Amino acid sequence: MRKTERPTISGLIFIQGNSREIQNYLNQIAFDLYLVKDCSTKKTAIIPDRVMQPFMQLSQINPHHIRFMPHSFDYYSPNHTLIKITSGVLTGMEGYCIRIARDKCLVTTVGNMTVAIGGISKESFENVDEYIRQRQETQNESQTLTYNDEFVSFQSDIAQCFFYPQNRLDLMVLARSLEQWIMKSRYWMLTEELSNAAQVQLLILKGIGKYCEKIYYKLQPGELKEIDNLCQETHKIITAIAERYADTQPEQQQKLIADEQAICKRYPFLPISKL
């Protein structure tokens, strides 16, 4: 057992769950703890999960990026254009891009509260492809992944998603860039293009093993959840394909299982190695 201290967002504590059950629990453990009420409705302030997710992700990277603002959201509208972030960690969030104390911030609302998210830059948040390209250039390494010469185009395209991540934001961007290939593989499974789907998943696993090996031993398990979830999803797809191969192509089934096991043996830190 060990005690760890981490910075958090000061001022408020966010609790996930049913508001009535939470308040009943607070009443049992302390008589002076209450959930915040929405000033306009006089009811418990509830923030939808879809709104909180980007906020939660960013707070896990660096809570010092987030500050609560003293004025309502409309106060910041004069002379500023409302923007909507279309890609990256903050996808879907709307607000005003304002410089505060020399820091470029996105001023937005979360549950009727006005917050400023600092450190906003196009390279870091709005354009995943550009972020990856810059990382690759900085590392000055040609991205290569090899598995089978028959699928050279897949190898080249997937290799462009990879770089050596240095922090949690890098991991989140890496996971986001690979999600498109998870979706493509699921579509190929529907169209019975099982070979394509299997090949892509093996390339993803191999890439994560190669490029994420060092950082896996530097971060806490909770900080790796996006990549861990991606690996789990990859394993599910490979298992589903292997089951389809069982009756018609047993040799392909055995080869697919063996290929996945070989990758896990080479990179034993992968979260599916002990499944």
Side-chain angles (χ1 to χ4, degrees), residues 146-151 155 194-207 209 234-235 238-239 241-242 245 250-268 270 272-273:
T146 58
Y147 180 72
N148 187 316
D149 292 339
E150 183 181 353
F151 294 91
Q155 294 169 13
L194 301 183
S195 181
N196 288 3
Q199 178 75 292
V200 165
Q201 299 311 301
L202 292 172
L203 286 170
I204 289 176
L205 272 186
K206 178 177 284 190
T234 296
H235 175 68
I238 290 175
T239 301
I241 295 172
Y245 277 150
E251 292 183 1
Q252 283 294 98
Q253 180 195 40
Q254 294 302 317
K255 183 178 185 305
L256 178 58
I257 294 174
D259 287 341
E260 183 188 35
Q261 291 176 345
I263 295 173
C264 291
K265 183 177 180 180
R266 181 174 180 180
Y267 304 108
L270 291 173
I272 65 172
S273 298

Side-chain angles (χ1 to χ4, degrees), residues 60-61 167-172 219 222-226:
Q60 291 173 15
I61 300 170
N167 50 50
R168 178 160 163 70
L169 177 58
D170 284 355
L171 287 171
M172 293 171 70
L219 298 180
E223 298 177 298
L224 299 163
K225 63 180 182 179
E226 287 83 13

Side-chain angles (χ1 to χ4, degrees), residues 217-230:
Y217 299 107
K218 295 180 180 179
L219 298 180
Q220 298 296 322
E223 298 177 298
L224 299 163
K225 63 180 182 179
E226 287 83 13
I227 293 296
D228 284 350
N229 290 341
L230 194 70

Side-chain angles (χ1 to χ4, degrees), residues 23-253:
Q23 186 60 68
N24 289 338
Y25 174 73
L26 294 177
N27 293 339
Q28 294 174 16
I29 63 173
F31 66 90
D32 57 348
L33 292 179
Y34 299 95
L35 297 175
V36 173
K37 293 186 180 297
D38 189 317
C39 295
S40 60
T41 65
K42 307 303 180 183
K43 296 181 180 180
T44 301
I46 298 176
I47 305 173
D49 183 69
R50 60 179 175 79
V51 175
M52 278 300 295
Q53 283 302 324
F55 184 79
M56 291 164 60
Q57 289 181 343
L58 189 67
S59 68
Q60 291 173 15
I61 300 170
N62 188 347
H64 295 307
H65 281 171
I66 301 173
R67 68 184 84 177
F68 294 95
M69 304 303 288
H71 304 290
S72 66
F73 182 62
D74 293 340
Y75 174 87
Y76 301 93
S77 61
N79 302 320
H80 295 103
T81 302
L82 185 67
I83 65 171
K84 181 175 183 179
I85 296 181
T86 57
S87 63
V89 177
L90 303 180
T91 298
M93 295 194 76
E94 295 184 349
Y96 301 108
C97 191
I98 301 174
R99 189 169 295 277
I100 302 175
R102 298 182 180 180
D103 184 16
K104 191 176 182 182
C105 301
L106 176 72
V107 175
T108 185
T109 58
V110 177
N112 291 334
M113 296 177 295
T114 305
V115 298
I117 303 174
I120 298 298
S121 66
K122 182 176 181 180
E123 292 74 22
S124 297
F125 294 97
E126 294 187 30
N127 192 321
V128 172
D129 292 338
E130 178 65 14
Y131 185 95
I132 293 174
R133 186 188 65 79
Q134 291 191 6
R135 271 286 191 259
Q136 291 174 346
E137 287 185 355
T138 300
Q139 295 170 3
N140 194 28
E141 175 170 330
S142 142
Q143 309 303 304
T144 58
L145 286 172
T146 58
Y147 180 72
N148 187 316
D149 292 339
E150 183 181 353
F151 294 91
V152 174
S153 61
F154 291 164
Q155 294 169 13
S156 176
D157 292 341
I158 295 176
Q160 295 308 309
C161 297
F162 285 101
F163 59 94
Y164 289 102
Q166 304 296 319
N167 50 50
R168 178 160 163 70
L169 177 58
D170 284 355
L171 287 171
M172 293 171 70
V173 171
L174 182 59
R176 177 65 63 86
S177 71
L178 291 169
E179 286 176 358
Q180 59 179 312
W181 290 101
I182 295 292
M183 298 299 293
K184 286 182 180 180
S185 292
R186 291 202 172 280
Y187 171 77
W188 283 329
M189 290 178 68
L190 292 175
T191 58
E192 295 299 324
E193 298 176 83
L194 301 183
S195 181
N196 288 3
Q199 178 75 292
V200 165
Q201 299 311 301
L202 292 172
L203 286 170
I204 289 176
L205 272 186
K206 178 177 284 190
I208 291 175
K210 174 182 177 181
Y211 289 98
C212 297
E213 185 170 17
K214 292 183 179 179
I215 198 170
Y216 252 88
Y217 299 107
K218 295 180 180 179
L219 298 180
Q220 298 296 322
E223 298 177 298
L224 299 163
K225 63 180 182 179
E226 287 83 13
I227 293 296
D228 284 350
N229 290 341
L230 194 70
C231 289
Q232 297 284 354
E233 192 68 20
T234 296
H235 175 68
K236 290 178 182 178
I237 293 176
I238 290 175
T239 301
I241 295 172
E243 290 176 352
R244 291 199 192 181
Y245 277 150
D247 295 331
T248 59
Q249 303 181 61
E251 292 183 1
Q252 283 294 98
Q253 180 195 40

